[in-house]
Amino acid sequence: MIKVITYGTFDTLHYGHILLLQRARALGDHLTVALSSDDFNATKGKASHFDYATRYALLTELRCVNMIIPEDTWEQKRHDVAAHSIDVFTMGSDWDGRFDFLSDLCRVVYLPRTPRISSTAIKHIHTTQTG
Ligand code: CTP
């Protein structure tokens, strides 16, 4: 079984996320999503619209997602790859090259980002429409 992992906040789950997750899953047979915790987002200066429990609940509804673990630190990736016997680490192309340091442990793949959609854009539309 080929095991794949990806990381992210996945706030206001949108079709760019779903296309990323489908392509990530297609790189193997089993997809783990490391979902950024609310505390980790706070350390990044990022506040999600939906909290961890809600973002988790939405991801569990997707057929392409097999397992969800929390992402609490930047440094946990090497540990996760080893602990979950990961074969492929993947992220969208906005992270191009940033995780090449994992390539001694597993394959590292950057998938093209879907244009013209982001959590930031959705939150901006929501804010401008609701005031
Ligand atoms: N992603 C993608 N295409 C998009 C948006 C996101 O492929 N249009 C990917 C990212 O590259 C990342 C994953 O989805 O691998 C999770 O991204 P995340 O940062 O949670 O989503 P964004 O919509 O980019 O959020 P933000 O606007 O807060 O940066």
Side-chain angles (χ1 to χ4, degrees), residues 15-121:
Y15 77 90
H17 292 148
I18 291 170
L19 291 177
L20 183 285
L21 292 167
Q22 287 174 332
R23 286 176 294 156
R25 175 65 175 70
L27 292 170
D29 309 300
H30 182 279
L31 175 63
T32 297
V33 177
L35 181 62
S36 301
S37 66
D38 295 327
D39 286 346
F40 182 51
N41 280 334
T43 69
K44 289 189 277 185
K46 215 173 160 177
S48 59
H49 182 77
F50 292 113
D51 66 10
Y52 182 87
T54 307
R55 291 181 284 116
Y56 184 105
L58 289 175
L59 285 181
T60 59
E61 293 300 320
L62 299 181
R63 270 199 303 270
C64 54
V65 175
N66 300 107
M67 187 176 170
I68 305 168
I69 61 172
E71 180 189 29
D72 294 313
T73 68
W74 287 110
E75 295 79 25
Q76 73 185 66
K77 294 185 180 70
R78 289 188 76 83
H79 169 269
D80 293 344
V81 167
H84 296 280
S85 304
I86 297 298
D87 302 288
V88 185
F89 172 99
T90 188
M91 290 294 288
S93 52
D94 42 327
W95 295 94
D96 214 358
R98 297 275 295 276
F99 301 109
D100 289 355
F101 65 89
L102 294 169
S103 58
D104 60 329
L105 294 178
C106 62
R107 199 176 148 213
V108 178
V109 177
Y110 303 98
L111 295 168
R113 197 179 151 89
T114 301
R116 295 182 296 280
I117 180 90
S118 70
S119 302
T120 304

